[in-house]
Amino acid sequence: VRTFIYSFSKVEFPNLTTKFYGLRNFQKVLSRSELPGVIRNTFVWILCSVVLRFSLGFASALLLNGETRRKKSIRLLVLLPWTVPSIVAANTWRWMMQPELGMINHLLRSIGLPSLAQNWLGSALTALGSVLLAYTWSGFPFDMMMILAGMQSIPDDLYESARIDGANTVQLFWHITIPSLKTIIVSVLLLEATNGLNSFDLLYTMTGGGPGGATEILGLLIHRLGFTNFDFGGASALSVLIIAIVVLIALVYGPTQRSA
């Protein structure tokens, strides 16, 4: 409620008193010169994170679908990245990508590929992709477990009947597996889109939005406006816009759950 009030107010320090400001906070924040780049970064971040997390999670679920002891053990190992606290994962990946002492560059040099060693988090060309790698690693097990649960709920009788009718593996996948997982697939995609929009801790810890704004997305811009520039009105206005987007996603997500 206070964020909503701030978004339409001029917030004065140090007592945080407010004066009605109308839509001027929204006008100011939408006219900021860096906003187009931030929106572009946010769009790329959401799109790539959804595609990478979902694809890896779906592929892992296909490979690990079954009740053998080996697959159960591997599922537990694959789930581990999701259980690691995000701040621990972020600092671990930041150390691994350190240009001089990091494990990734050390490995590239040790196998005779020193030209591929990069300042992964210090270059505008590689920073966003590097954080996406860490973000995908830490989150794809959630997608895997959601999809795997859906796969295991599909009755075996459907597959047996289709095999008797002469269906091959590809046909089973497209005509039984995918239709049966439709609701779960939509849910996972919407949840991942929301997670991507709300991302903050991994990016803030690994790059802080740098270098030169190359990894700054909307969540980091809100933090910078509010707690670096102390523009609580502008930060609140941008927050309200993101809340509106998330509400729209929720309105799409709700019917998919009722249909399930």
Side-chain angles (χ1 to χ4, degrees), residues 26-206:
F26 293 90
Q27 293 171 347
K28 285 198 306 181
V29 77
L30 291 175
S31 63
R32 293 186 68 90
S33 60
E34 72 268 39
L35 188 62
V38 172
I39 292 176
R40 182 182 64 250
N41 290 342
T42 304
F43 178 77
V44 172
W45 173 264
I46 294 174
L47 178 63
C48 292
S49 64
V50 169
V51 171
L52 291 173
R53 282 187 165 197
F54 178 79
S55 300
L56 191 54
F58 198 100
S60 300
L62 281 176
L63 291 173
L64 299 177
N65 185 25
E67 295 302 321
T68 65
R69 182 177 299 178
R70 177 178 296 179
K71 288 186 177 182
K72 288 181 179 179
S73 300
I74 295 175
R75 284 206 295 262
L76 289 175
L77 292 175
V78 173
L79 192 61
L80 287 178
W82 188 55
T83 65
V84 176
S86 58
I87 190 67
V88 175
N91 279 301
T92 301
W93 278 96
R94 187 172 66 171
W95 171 78
M96 290 170 60
M97 294 177 179
Q98 206 274 339
E100 299 301 328
L101 303 176
M103 187 184 73
I104 294 177
N105 281 350
H106 176 74
L107 179 62
L108 290 172
R109 295 184 184 106
S110 66
I111 61 175
L113 297 172
S115 60
L116 296 181
Q118 303 284 333
N119 184 2
W120 301 101
L121 300 177
S123 169
L125 296 176
T126 57
L128 190 62
S130 298
V131 184
L132 271 170
L133 174 62
Y135 185 71
T136 301
W137 173 87
S138 65
F140 87 89
F142 170 79
D143 294 14
M144 181 197 74
M145 294 304 295
M146 291 278 288
I147 296 167
L148 185 60
M151 288 180 177
Q152 294 183 339
S153 68
I154 301 173
D156 291 334
D157 295 345
L158 291 177
Y159 291 107
E160 292 299 329
S161 299
R163 289 190 184 97
I164 291 173
D165 291 337
N168 57 35
T169 302
V170 175
Q171 290 171 328
L172 292 176
F173 177 77
W174 284 110
H175 297 289
I176 295 180
T177 304
I178 293 297
S180 300
L181 295 176
K182 181 179 178 180
T183 299
I184 292 178
I185 289 173
V186 172
S187 298
V188 170
L189 290 175
L190 290 174
L191 288 173
E192 283 296 354
T194 304
N195 287 336
L197 183 62
N198 292 332
S199 296
F200 176 80
D201 47 0
L202 201 74
L203 278 160
Y204 183 76
T205 303
M206 292 185 69

